[in-house]
Amino acid sequence: LQRSGGSILGDKTRMQNLSTRAQAFVRPSPSRGALGGVGQATAEAVALCEAGGLDVVLVETLGTGQAETHVSHLVDCVVLVLPPAGGDELQGIKKGVLETAHLVLVNKADGELFGPAQRALADVASALSLSPSSRHPSCPRALAVSAATGAGVQEAWSVIRRLSKEAHRSGEFDTRRAVQRKMQIWDAVQHSLLHALHSSPLARKEESAVEVLVAESTIPTRIAASKIIEAFYKDVSNLPTAL
């Protein structure tokens, strides 16, 4: 079963101080079931914010998982925020996510969780030492912060600013933006093709038929997928050109 009921204005309720400021614009961007941790229109939303003069745009993903590296197609700096967990909990974080992150922040470093946060920070630093990094050597790759008290937040922002300045100075910023635009083209192509596939009457008819066969273990899923795609090919000439 696949459900995507969306959020209940989560950003507004969690960011009460920020969302009431005239200088800030907070807007949920529902994923609508899209993989990668970000919504299908997030890239356009970011471009619109930049065109409107917003100099800082924060993109929050759905969470940490194998597909969360998709956000690197949209942003200049990837910050991974983790709770005070370590050891076995860190095993759930995919290697690609750590390698993509420019900076890792261990949150809730306050009160009773200060000690666990520091231990988690050491575990994260150890894991990062095993992954390659093209970041500026003077910038730390992991910090402990507290959203409740504000401890470490200013230091984290200073690191992000330094990374941004270094990227502009070295030319990495322009290079990364060019690569991102190319990747966004293919992201849009994949989305359009999936939309066309789901809009195809023949493909949907075949889907209903093969789902029964797969449920009965009559045919494997790969064969079922091939049948749906074959039906789509037959129907594609009748689809509208504007996807």
Side-chain angles (χ1 to χ4, degrees):
L1 296 178
Q2 181 176 356
R3 296 181 180 179
S4 180
S7 60
I8 309 176
L9 295 178
D11 294 334
K12 295 289 187 181
T13 57
R14 289 188 294 106
M15 303 180 185
Q16 296 178 6
N17 293 333
L18 181 63
S19 62
T20 57
R21 295 188 180 184
Q23 303 94 332
F25 174 70
V26 181
R27 178 68 171 89
S29 181
S31 65
R32 302 188 186 279
L35 298 177
V38 292
Q40 296 164 350
T42 303
E44 288 82 356
V46 171
L48 185 61
C49 288
E50 287 189 321
L54 296 176
D55 56 346
V56 177
V57 181
L58 304 179
V59 179
E60 181 183 11
T61 67
L62 298 177
T64 55
Q66 190 168 11
E68 301 306 314
T69 56
H70 186 85
V71 71
S72 64
H73 299 186
L74 312 175
V75 300
D76 303 313
C77 181
V78 178
V79 180
L80 176 62
V81 182
L82 300 176
D88 293 338
E89 290 86 350
L90 281 177
Q91 296 300 320
I93 304 173
K94 302 301 180 181
K95 181 180 178 182
V97 177
L98 283 177
E99 291 180 347
T100 300
H102 295 79
L103 177 64
V104 180
L105 301 180
V106 179
N107 193 21
K108 302 182 180 180
D110 53 71
E112 296 180 354
L113 292 177
F114 180 80
Q118 293 298 321
R119 290 191 292 271
L121 179 63
D123 290 339
V124 169
S126 177
L128 289 173
S129 67
L130 302 177
S131 63
S133 173
S134 58
R135 287 51 165 176
H136 196 270
S138 65
C139 294
R141 296 191 64 192
L143 294 171
V145 300
S146 169
T149 66
V153 174
Q154 187 58 49
E155 182 182 0
W157 178 241
S158 298
V159 171
I160 294 172
R161 293 287 299 272
R162 286 161 58 190
L163 289 171
S164 177
K165 290 181 180 179
E166 175 60 24
H168 279 85
R169 187 197 64 78
S170 65
E172 180 187 354
F173 176 86
D174 294 328
T175 301
R176 186 191 303 128
R177 283 292 181 100
V179 172
Q180 287 176 338
R181 293 187 186 100
K182 293 179 182 178
M183 299 177 80
Q184 289 169 16
I185 291 174
W186 288 105
D187 289 340
V189 168
Q190 292 178 26
H191 170 63
S192 296
L193 283 175
L194 282 175
H195 176 73
L197 179 63
H198 291 305
S199 301
S200 166
L202 288 181
R204 297 187 68 173
K205 181 179 180 181
E206 186 66 31
E207 175 187 357
S208 299
V210 298
E211 281 182 345
V212 174
L213 298 176
V214 170
E216 296 174 347
S217 299
T218 304
I219 62 174
T221 55
R222 185 176 294 274
I223 297 298
S226 298
K227 289 181 176 294
I228 294 175
I229 294 174
E230 288 174 4
F232 170 68
Y233 284 156
K234 294 178 182 178
D235 202 27
V236 70
S237 60
N238 299 322
L239 291 175
T241 55
L243 302 179

